[in-house]
Amino acid sequence: MTDHMPDDLSAAGRDLRAYTDELRPKHPVVRNVADEWVLLRHADVAAAALDHERFSSAVSRYLQVPNGLDGDEHARYREVIERYLTHDALVPFVPVFKRVAAQLVVDLPRGVVLDAVSDIGAVFAVRAQCEWLGWPAELEPRLLTWMQENHAATRSGDRAWTSDVAEQFDEIIRSVIQPRRAAQVDAPDDVTTRLCRETVDGRLLTETELVSILRNWTGGDLGSIALCVGVIVAQVAEQPGLAARLRTASDAEVDAIIDEMLRIDDPFVSNRRVTTCPVRIGGVEIPSGARVKLNWTSANRDETVFDNNRFDPQRNAAANLVYGIGKHVCPGRLLATWELRIALQALLASVNTIEPAPDQSPEREVAPVGGYHRVPVVLT
Ligand code: HEM
């Protein structure tokens, strides 16, 4: 151990935001108990994300389309994926997401304690995704149960459990794509069917590639949207002035405020890279073939970049890393931004107040998950 490393490098059981705030000023790079080099400062995280030559995304032995690919191969698949996430491709779903959000908030009970993560965020995320992809509403309970189990498995750090849960999700995806691939003519005209007909290098996407793409669109992102809703509702409940500001703000202003709330408390914690040669970063020599973590949550709270983390949507937008940077920057940003804004606006439009539940504090998540585990609120 060298002097730039703290004694205890295990983040297990801790609130990652608080832990990395504590580490970052003195330790820009820490080597964790899993032998990964974790980058904590904004400049280093951004530099590594933009350096596609020396920091490869080929970190897993499993196929990960497109996030585990590099170079031209990544670009070919990324092009296919981006077609589904452009402004024009997503506009038709805006009224659909608004309907889903309005129905959900009308059904929420008033005057009792609700959990913003599981009762609002998770349910909205699953319904919006099913509508977008054309998946049957009957999958909702199965997907919600899966999200809870996936979350518990990730939290536990138990690899066998995590991979078992991942396999269950692949089963759900196969149950949706197999009939569409088999039916040449009368498959439903939806995003999933269109994706099944996409080609790369002049051939149809294989089942394994399709499962990987859809796992990326749904598996990870259902959880992220739910956690983002938790973070947003927690901040609105704690700062009544914010609700008033959001109610009169334009859509663009609401988007900027949400981005800033997520910057301060980014629940999408990190992504991995592997070095292709020895690299010096953050004052530390990292060998070739080392596993590196870009910690977005910490980079987004770097006090040297964000004026001591003062809440300022305009000033802080340019350096905000919630959706990443570089060739792997989140292609789902517009979809996530619209879903989150629509959910928040529907909630604010249908209630007078969103208040913290009396005598119950929000529970922070613990490593490796970010944001909140539970945000108890009362709607009136
Ligand atoms: C809830 C909010 C979301 C957050 C905070 C988020 C954040 C991120 C970040 C930080 C990356 C960069 C990964 C890297 O550099 O290795 C990323 C990549 C990605 N995101 Fe998102 N994301 C969100 C929602 C979504 C949604 C809704 C979708 C699609 C439906 C999506 C699809 C993807 C894909 C496919 C990649 C990999 C891109 C590539 O490797 O080229 N994300 N996301």
Side-chain angles (χ1 to χ4, degrees), residues 49 57 65-68 74 78 81 85 129 132 216-218 221 224-225 228 266 268 271-273 294 296 321-325 327-333 335-336 339-340:
S57 287
V65 183
N67 49 319
H74 170 258
R78 171 102 189 187
I81 286 158
L85 296 160
Q129 289 266 6
W132 175 53
N216 226 311
W217 285 2
T218 51
D221 300 307
S224 309
I225 296 271
C228 288
D266 182 355
F268 192 99
N271 284 107
R272 292 183 295 158
R273 298 290 189 267
L294 318 187
W296 309 114
L321 290 178
V322 168
Y323 292 98
I325 190 171
K327 289 185 181 170
H328 293 273
V329 67
C330 182
R333 177 175 188 162
L335 176 61
E339 284 190 19
L340 293 172

Side-chain angles (χ1 to χ4, degrees), residues 291-303:
R291 289 181 298 153
V292 177
K293 260 192 172 161
L294 318 187
N295 192 307
W296 309 114
T297 306
S298 170
N300 269 320
R301 292 178 57 77
D302 189 329
E303 38 289 282

Side-chain angles (χ1 to χ4, degrees), residues 174-343:
R174 280 193 286 268
S175 78
V176 190
I177 60 173
Q178 279 171 350
R180 284 173 168 78
R181 275 162 66 85
Q184 295 295 325
V185 197
D186 46 349
D189 179 21
D190 56 32
V191 165
T192 306
T193 301
R194 263 172 268 150
L195 185 68
C196 289
R197 294 184 179 151
E198 290 289 356
T199 57
V200 167
D201 302 337
R203 54 151 184 89
L204 283 171
L205 290 171
T206 64
E207 182 177 291
T208 314
E209 289 167 343
L210 287 165
V211 168
S212 177
I213 293 172
L214 284 163
R215 191 194 303 127
N216 226 311
W217 285 2
T218 51
D221 300 307
L222 287 174
S224 309
I225 296 271
L227 288 172
C228 288
V229 169
V231 164
I232 293 165
V233 173
Q235 291 187 40
V236 171
E238 279 158 17
Q239 307 167 54
L242 205 51
R245 186 171 164 191
L246 285 160
R247 280 196 167 97
T248 55
S250 67
D251 286 355
E253 283 164 343
V254 176
D255 291 349
I257 293 172
I258 290 177
D259 278 0
E260 177 69 345
M261 292 197 243
L262 298 177
R263 177 192 70 75
I264 284 186
D265 194 355
D266 182 355
F268 192 99
V269 178
S270 61
N271 284 107
R272 292 183 295 158
R273 298 290 189 267
V274 57
T275 50
T276 58
C277 60
V279 180
R280 184 172 177 81
I281 192 162
V284 176
E285 294 290 344
I286 301 184
S288 182
R291 289 181 298 153
V292 177
K293 260 192 172 161
L294 318 187
N295 192 307
W296 309 114
T297 306
S298 170
N300 269 320
R301 292 178 57 77
D302 189 329
E303 38 289 282
T304 62
V305 176
F306 296 109
D307 189 19
N308 282 324
N309 282 315
R310 196 165 53 82
F311 188 87
D312 189 340
Q314 265 66 45
R315 179 194 179 279
N316 295 333
N320 187 320
L321 290 178
V322 168
Y323 292 98
I325 190 171
K327 289 185 181 170
H328 293 273
V329 67
C330 182
R333 177 175 188 162
L334 194 60
L335 176 61
T337 302
W338 284 359
E339 284 190 19
L340 293 172
R341 185 212 319 133
I342 288 168

Side-chain angles (χ1 to χ4, degrees), residues 115 117-119 122-123 126 140-156 161 165 168 219 222-223 226 365 373:
D115 170 22
V117 182
S118 60
D119 295 327
V123 180
V126 166
E140 183 182 321
R142 209 170 145 197
L143 286 166
L144 283 170
T145 309
W146 177 84
M147 272 169 86
Q148 272 172 3
E149 202 181 336
N150 182 45
H151 197 84
T154 311
R155 251 175 95 128
S156 75
W161 189 13
V165 176
Q168 286 170 30
L222 287 174
E365 259 303 349
H373 180 57

Side-chain angles (χ1 to χ4, degrees), residues 4-5 29-32 34-39 273 275 281 284-287 290-294:
H4 57 264
M5 293 166 188
V29 183
V30 294
R31 202 162 168 187
N32 68 16
D35 204 22
E36 293 163 322
W37 301 76
V38 187
L39 309 184
R273 298 290 189 267
T275 50
I281 192 162
V284 176
E285 294 290 344
I286 301 184
R291 289 181 298 153
V292 177
K293 260 192 172 161
L294 318 187

